[in-house]
Amino acid sequence: MGEQRRSTVLSLAMLVASLAVLALGGFVQLDDVSGFGSERWIMPLGAVAAVLAVVALWVACRHTASRRTFGAALAVIDAALVVLTFTLEGFRFIWHGTEGELFLFEVALGLVALWVLTPTFEVRRPDPMRDGRSPAPQVTTQVSPWVRVSAYATGLLLAICLAFMMGAAHFEATQCSDPGFDGECDLAGLEGLAWSALTLIVVSSGIVVAEVLRARRRRLARHPDS
């Protein structure tokens, strides 16, 4: 068995072991309808599961093929978590105090999978700043388009999540802190959604502008007289 294949098998085995330890520690539950599933935690096993997952990621990243296979496994796990969240009422995974924390974990896991699945991080392109008379190779190393997509997706999702939490916190601070308040503080989520929608528009527009400016700079570098 080649070294690359060993890395793939070992990383996947450690990932499965991490999930098994989480289940043994009470962090994965399928029948918790009370909302107090954290009472069944075994915290030391949670720490062991985290270490296993981190080491599995490190082993997988030693080879490109192993990294991509591991990323695909993370994406499958993340998709399964999302499906179970919406289809199984008693499902809990790394349950804390609120449902929102499971959502944040799913976002984080999805972003890790996205980065691990990135096909290549660098590309070599012709350097438009060279005049062609230099004996050195006329190439330059740049980050790949895949890295830019991953970076944009990470920034966008993190900004949306942060905006939601800030919007909800703002509603609670301004509307629910009054001792005489008798409404539903659950409506804080609506303001969070409004802030998230605004952030989506602003950040997406910024990404489009950044890419347009980048394309313009490259075109001017290739054709300075145009």
Side-chain angles (χ1 to χ4, degrees):
M1 183 183 296
E3 182 179 354
Q4 179 175 290
R5 187 176 179 184
R6 284 197 298 270
S7 295
T8 302
V9 173
L10 179 59
S11 62
L12 293 179
M14 295 183 70
L15 180 60
V16 172
S18 176
L19 294 175
V21 172
L22 282 176
L24 289 174
F27 293 87
V28 179
Q29 301 167 28
L30 302 177
D31 58 351
D32 176 24
V33 294
S34 66
F36 298 97
S38 60
E39 295 176 354
R40 292 151 60 179
W41 280 3
I42 303 177
M43 292 305 298
L45 290 182
V48 171
V51 171
L52 285 173
V54 171
V55 174
L57 178 61
W58 176 78
V59 171
C61 288
R62 296 171 63 185
H63 299 281
T64 300
S66 300
R67 174 172 57 80
R68 294 176 183 173
T69 302
F70 191 81
L74 292 181
V76 170
I77 293 172
D78 196 37
L81 290 178
V82 173
V83 171
L84 288 172
T85 299
F86 287 100
T87 59
L88 190 59
E89 182 181 359
F91 173 68
R92 299 289 183 270
F93 187 86
I94 309 187
W95 171 256
H96 290 282
T98 66
E99 294 286 354
E101 291 166 345
L102 174 58
F103 170 75
L104 292 178
F105 176 76
E106 291 167 347
V107 170
L109 185 60
L111 291 176
V112 172
L114 177 64
W115 280 100
V116 175
L117 281 170
T118 300
T120 182
F121 291 90
E122 293 181 343
V123 293
R124 296 174 66 83
R125 300 183 185 278
D127 189 348
M129 303 305 293
R130 299 281 179 94
D131 59 8
R133 295 189 294 271
S134 174
Q138 297 180 3
V139 295
T140 182
T141 301
Q142 302 175 356
V143 295
S144 71
W146 295 101
V147 170
R148 294 205 311 277
V149 171
S150 298
Y152 287 147
T154 300
L156 179 60
L157 287 174
L158 291 180
I160 289 174
C161 291
L162 180 61
F164 179 87
M165 291 186 290
M166 291 178 62
H170 178 265
F171 183 92
E172 293 175 356
T174 57
Q175 303 296 327
C176 305
S177 57
D178 191 335
F181 177 76
D182 59 355
E184 289 292 336
C185 213
D186 291 342
L187 296 177
L190 294 179
E191 182 166 340
L193 288 175
W195 284 40
S196 295
L198 179 61
T199 300
L200 173 62
I201 296 172
V202 172
V203 176
S204 298
S205 300
I207 291 173
V208 172
V209 171
E211 283 298 295
V212 170
L213 292 177
R214 181 179 180 277
R216 178 179 173 80
R217 286 195 301 269
R218 290 189 61 188
R219 185 173 65 252
L220 291 176
R222 291 176 178 175
H223 308 288
D225 298 328
S226 60

